[in-house]
Amino acid sequence: MADGKAQTDFYARLAQGLDTLREQGLFKPERVIASRQGAEVVCDDGRSLINLCANNYLGLSGDEAMVRASIEATEKYGYGLSSVRFICGTQTVHKQLEQALSAFLGTEDTILYAAAFDANGGVFEPLFDENDAIISDSLNHASIIDGIRLCKAARYRYQHNDMADLEAQLLAAADKRHRIIVTDGVFSMDGTIAQLDKICELAERHDALVMIDECHASGFMGKTGRGTHEHHGVMGKIDIITGTLGKALGGAMGGFTSGRKEVIQTLRQKSRPYLFSNTLAPSIAGASLAVLERLSASTELRDRLHENTAYFRAAISELGFTVKPGTHPVVPVMLFDAPLAQKFAQRLYELGVLVTGFFYPVVPMGQARVRVQLSAAHTREQLDRALVAFRQAGQELGILKN
Ligand SMILES: *Cc1c(COP(=O)(O)O)cnc(C)c1O
């Protein structure tokens, strides 16, 4: 390894940056899990914990049926393709999954990516240029922000969830060729559900397209779990839907963009993360297909998730915690102060509950929190045990309002 002045300066600067994060209580450690993902996990120190911080909304990540489905797909289609899609990386299972996702979401066609981050990174640049306007919610996911940066379209930002400001931005962009409104269907830090009914109305009035990112919605929002567009009664009115296979829909990895065939065909020709990155592993494609079949046959998992959410939201508020109101299985328990959020999460860990403290820059300064995420896999007994731990940690740290 080289060890000249360039190296000394560079590594010293990084080490100092890391020290600063630690001093400010902003350093993000990683817990190491030694078991499958699930409602309860075993960490590498042998401790068993109730897990309240996975995006495992439907409890499928460690589910035996998923493991079987992925093994079956691996046996039939092999481990991998060693290719991007257009060279020699498309199998029947990829086409089947794309069709199944389109049917599930109520769209014409779907294109798969290695991650939703790639779907968002590769969606704007092929479809829009300097003649167009992208009008984006100020709290949209980092991957949307990065995707917009890669595109030459004019950028407009509206205040989070603020329909009056959205309209003002639509007016400001009135002279552009195309206008597209972009929003997370559900905002992951607050569990806020985008007002898609109003957004679609504004889009119609101001001649704009609508795109939603459904990473925290696909599989469980809406009566049959299709997503935020179903929840708000605007299925068929959304132009572009991006989403992930790495959260509710199985939890491995992979993403997609769904919409009209002109959009999807254009992305297959021009979207860089699709053209220049490997095809989704067959095990994931096959298992994701099994998930969609299961969710289309029954809303049982989705229903159980929402029951657990309602139960936990009511109980945690009753204990005297400050909770952001809502109905989504993301339940933000507010601590406001970053070091306090870290301390609270650490105490809960000692008491057998796995949650993570979130603070700047993941959430705005002064808005630190522990984000609880419910799962269909949680039993009532596990939730009750978690609530006992919350009460104890809350009392010890003087957080409770009661
Ligand atoms: C998680 C998430 C992503 C990224 O999904 P991956 O498939 O993990 O890359 C994108 N957008 C939103 C809103 C997310 O919550």
Side-chain angles (χ1 to χ4, degrees):
M1 220 162 49
D3 201 14
K5 179 168 168 9
Q7 284 77 22
T8 309
D9 290 353
F10 178 57
Y11 299 124
R13 183 173 67 77
L14 296 189
Q16 195 178 19
L18 291 166
D19 284 343
T20 305
L21 286 178
R22 287 191 194 92
E23 283 158 21
Q24 294 173 335
L26 299 177
F27 190 84
K28 294 180 280 298
E30 290 178 7
R31 297 274 180 219
V32 179
I33 294 172
S35 67
R36 285 187 191 180
Q37 184 62 280
E40 239 171 301
V41 293
V42 180
C43 282
D44 62 341
D45 59 5
R47 288 165 45 81
S48 182
L49 297 151
I50 298 168
N51 188 1
L52 289 179
C53 58
N55 300 308
N56 187 18
Y57 295 112
L58 297 176
L60 296 172
S61 308
D63 185 75
E64 193 55 28
M66 297 303 301
V67 173
R68 290 294 122 208
S70 73
I71 291 170
E72 271 170 37
T74 300
E75 283 184 340
K76 179 160 180 193
Y77 293 102
Y79 175 62
L81 273 298
S82 300
S83 172
V84 298
R85 284 286 297 273
F86 83 93
I87 299 179
C88 55
T90 299
Q91 292 169 310
T92 47
V93 71
H94 298 102
K95 297 316 290 178
Q96 287 166 353
L97 176 57
E98 287 172 344
Q99 281 163 19
L101 278 164
S102 306
F104 189 76
L105 299 167
T107 55
E108 273 183 13
D109 198 3
T110 299
I111 176 175
L112 299 173
Y113 288 86
F117 207 105
D118 287 334
N120 285 330
V123 70
F124 298 104
E125 188 259 345
L127 303 177
F128 302 101
D129 64 25
E130 54 274 10
N131 298 302
D132 307 314
I134 299 171
I135 305 171
S136 178
D137 185 289
S138 65
L139 286 193
N140 275 343
H141 190 262
S143 55
I144 294 178
I145 295 168
D146 286 8
I148 294 173
R149 280 189 187 138
L150 295 171
C151 167
K152 292 201 172 68
R155 301 168 198 169
Y156 296 78
R157 221 165 66 130
Y158 63 96
Q159 293 295 317
H160 172 54
N161 206 22
D162 181 336
M163 296 299 103
D165 195 33
L166 170 56
E167 182 152 40
Q169 302 308 319
L170 283 162
L171 289 168
D175 61 341
K176 294 294 180 185
R177 177 181 59 186
H178 308 301
R179 281 157 295 289
I180 183 161
I181 304 167
V182 185
T183 180
D184 286 13
V186 171
F187 293 86
S188 62
M189 287 303 140
D190 295 312
T192 305
I193 303 165
Q195 306 174 67
L196 288 189
D197 45 347
K198 293 179 186 156
I199 288 173
C200 286
E201 226 176 86
L202 282 172
E204 230 166 90
R205 191 159 353 121
H206 294 278
D207 205 12
L209 303 160
V210 179
M211 170 179 149
I212 58 176
D213 174 338
E214 286 284 271
C215 284
H216 287 274
S218 298
F220 60 94
M221 292 301 290
K223 225 167 48 199
T224 63
R226 308 305 159 118
T228 316
H229 57 335
E230 184 185 31
H231 175 85
H232 272 306
V234 292
M235 277 186 90
K237 290 194 180 175
I238 305 296
D239 295 284
I240 300 174
I241 298 174
T242 59
T244 186
L245 303 171
K247 289 174 180 151
L249 298 179
M253 61 188 300
F256 57 84
T257 300
S258 199
R260 288 272 292 267
K261 61 182 188 310
E262 295 87 340
V263 167
I264 304 308
Q265 283 171 4
T266 303
L267 294 177
R268 284 193 209 284
Q269 298 305 310
K270 296 185 173 174
S271 180
R272 291 164 69 85
Y274 185 80
L275 290 178
F276 296 103
S277 187
N278 213 38
T279 193
L280 192 68
S283 59
I284 300 176
S288 301
L289 198 53
V291 169
L292 292 176
E293 279 164 19
R294 182 163 166 182
L295 300 188
S296 301
S298 154
T299 61
E300 184 200 338
L301 292 176
R302 176 249 173 240
D303 297 343
R304 203 182 313 151
L305 168 63
H306 288 290
E307 281 163 27
N308 281 346
T309 300
Y311 179 76
F312 188 87
R313 275 184 174 276
I316 193 90
S317 305
E318 185 114 326
L319 287 178
F321 285 96
T322 304
V323 174
K324 290 217 171 192
T327 56
H328 191 270
V330 162
V331 185
V333 180
M334 302 304 293
L335 287 307
F336 304 103
D337 177 61
L340 180 61
Q342 290 270 56
K343 229 183 279 172
F344 186 57
Q346 175 58 32
R347 185 62 186 130
L348 282 168
Y349 179 81
E350 291 159 11
L351 295 170
V353 176
L354 187 57
V355 288
T356 310
F358 283 87
F359 36 80
Y360 184 81
V362 180
V363 295
M365 202 68 94
Q367 291 281 305
R369 67 197 62 184
V370 157
R371 180 181 68 174
V372 170
Q373 292 174 283
L374 281 306
S375 169
H378 290 130
T379 63
R380 203 43 69 85
E381 183 270 330
Q382 287 166 332
L383 295 182
D384 286 338
R385 258 197 291 149
L387 286 160
V388 168
F390 267 83
R391 185 174 57 202
Q392 183 175 338
Q395 279 167 346
E396 288 174 6
L397 295 174
I399 294 161
L400 304 182
K401 284 179 293 186
N402 301 347

